[in-house]
Amino acid sequence: SSELTQDPAVSVALGQTVRITCQGDSLRSYYASWYQQKPGQAPVLVIYGKNNRPSGIPDRFSGSSSGNTASLTITGAQAEDEADYYCNSRDSSGNLNWVFGGGTKLTVL
Amino acid sequence: EVQLVESGGGLVQPGGSLRLSCAASGFTFSSYWMSWVRQAPGKGLEWVANIKQDGSEKYYVDSVKGRFTISRDNAKNSLYLQMNSLRAEDTAVYYCARGPYQLLVGYYFDYWGQGTLVTVSS
């Protein structure tokens, strides 16, 4: 089955821009979706498709993709953006399965 | 407002069984794929299983095949996960999620419940 690889931790200064990446072979075939999870809470969808935000997600969140890498960019990070971020994609190995990345802990300094 | 409310979690001994439920409201349940996703304590998310709108297709992560069964009752707007032969490594918060929903060549899970904790321990 496919795997998605994320950096375990990333930090950003308040108001600066940060990019969180996700690598995997399945990303050559499928767009990733991105989820934000704060401690003790359920995941929340923040980006899906080529670069789509659900209603209520601030426009400082954006997504992009190139080759086997998907990226989530936060432009002007806020304190409330401190959270774990997970990418997700369909498995490209032929199984109708879905796989999550290991998650990236974002710290806003 | 879309709501997903899980129930049925608890403490169970290794080798035991548990049935999780997810009550859905605020949308036409029968029109969506539904999924279970779990998260072991301090760990990341893991997709467990999903089921097509009419229940005709079901898919599972390899680690639960033959032990877990996903099902749904569209008349009751409910999703279920029957878990048998439970192992310590099944200990996790289990989330009910709407989806995967397909948009071109991308898929996503757009709504999640708050989760129910399953602890497998003697």
Side-chain angles (χ1 to χ4, degrees), chain A residues 2-97:
Chain A
S2 301
E3 290 186 357
L4 296 177
T5 302
Q6 298 181 241
D7 291 330
V10 171
S11 61
V12 61
L14 184 67
Q16 296 303 300
T17 297
V18 62
R19 185 168 66 181
I20 298 169
T21 61
C22 173
Q23 289 188 303
D25 287 342
S26 63
L27 300 179
R28 297 184 184 279
S29 303
Y30 303 107
Y31 288 122
S33 53
W34 290 92
Y35 304 84
Q36 176 193 69
Q37 187 181 36
K38 296 180 179 179
Q41 297 184 19
V44 172
L45 175 69
V46 294
I47 291 290
Y48 64 96
K50 188 174 183 180
N51 180 20
N52 299 284
R53 285 176 290 105
S55 173
I57 300 301
D59 60 6
R60 62 179 179 271
F61 288 88
S62 63
S64 62
S65 182
S66 178
N68 72 335
T69 301
S71 299
L72 172 70
T73 299
I74 307 174
T75 303
Q78 302 300 303
E80 60 264 33
D81 299 335
E82 185 162 294
D84 293 327
Y85 291 86
Y86 295 92
C87 59
N88 173 261
S89 168
R90 177 177 165 177
D91 188 332
S92 63
S93 65
N95 301 318
L96 208 65
N97 288 359

Side-chain angles (χ1 to χ4, degrees), chain A residues 29-31 33 35 37 41-43 45 48-49 52 86 88 90 96-98 100 102, chain B residues 37 39 43-45 47 50 59-60 95 100 103 105-110 112-114:
Chain A
S29 303
Y30 303 107
Y31 288 122
S33 53
Y35 304 84
Q37 187 181 36
Q41 297 184 19
L45 175 69
Y48 64 96
N52 299 284
Y86 295 92
N88 173 261
R90 177 177 165 177
L96 208 65
N97 288 359
W98 275 260
F100 286 90
Chain B
V37 176
Q39 186 170 35
K43 303 297 184 182
L45 301 173
W47 169 79
N50 57 20
Y59 301 94
Y60 302 90
Y95 294 102
L103 177 64
V105 291
Y107 296 80
Y108 57 94
F109 304 89
D110 58 354
W112 299 61
Q114 285 303 305

Side-chain angles (χ1 to χ4, degrees), chain B residues 49-106:
Chain B
N50 57 20
I51 184 168
K52 195 176 179 179
Q53 290 91 331
D54 61 359
S56 61
E57 295 181 35
K58 304 174 185 182
Y59 301 94
Y60 302 90
V61 68
D62 286 348
S63 60
V64 308
K65 283 179 182 176
R67 301 188 299 123
F68 290 11
T69 302
I70 189 172
S71 63
R72 64 192 297 162
D73 185 335
N74 288 341
K76 295 183 178 180
N77 292 335
S78 293
L79 176 72
Y80 306 102
L81 186 67
Q82 177 67 43
M83 304 185 296
N84 298 330
S85 302
L86 282 161
R87 306 166 179 167
E89 54 265 36
D90 296 318
T91 294
V93 173
Y94 285 74
Y95 294 102
C96 166
R98 192 173 82 168
Y101 188 87
Q102 183 177 5
L103 177 64
L104 300 178
V105 291

